[in-house]
Amino acid sequence: TTEIYTLSLHDALPIYINTEGYDLQETSINGCNAVYIEYSSDQGVSSIVIWNNKDYIITLSGDFDKSELVNLAISNEIDGF
């Protein structure tokens, strides 16, 4: 399984993600508002979670279901990030 973890400063260029035909779900990562998007196909599930910790906009994506990806995001949050 591959996971991608990216950071963007608030003032950086905007992040564009194709959400057409996919359901966005609101969630929380370490007390921060987050959005979860799941992409399902015959080959399996891929998903992305995006959250704003007031310093960075953080995205984590991979071949995970919601609970796996959100738990991975929570456990990978770095102190002071």
Side-chain angles (χ1 to χ4, degrees):
T1 301
T2 302
E3 62 186 74
I4 300 171
Y5 204 47
T6 61
L7 296 172
S8 299
L9 294 174
H10 283 252
D11 297 334
L13 296 174
I15 299 170
Y16 295 99
I17 297 172
N18 181 5
T19 59
E20 186 174 346
Y22 298 101
D23 187 33
L24 280 75
Q25 300 173 29
E26 292 184 17
T27 189
S28 178
I29 305 295
N30 295 332
C32 300
N33 293 333
V35 175
Y36 171 82
I37 307 163
E38 186 172 280
Y39 305 94
S40 298
S41 70
D42 295 337
Q43 299 167 352
V45 174
S46 294
S47 55
I48 185 169
V49 65
I50 306 164
W51 70 101
N52 178 345
N53 72 358
K54 300 189 176 106
D55 292 319
Y56 298 97
I57 298 170
I58 305 165
T59 64
L60 178 61
S61 61
D63 299 332
F64 303 100
D65 65 23
K66 182 178 181 180
S67 64
E68 292 172 316
L69 191 65
V70 168
N71 287 334
L72 185 60
I74 290 168
S75 67
N76 279 310
E77 183 80 14
I78 299 171
D79 288 334
F81 221 9

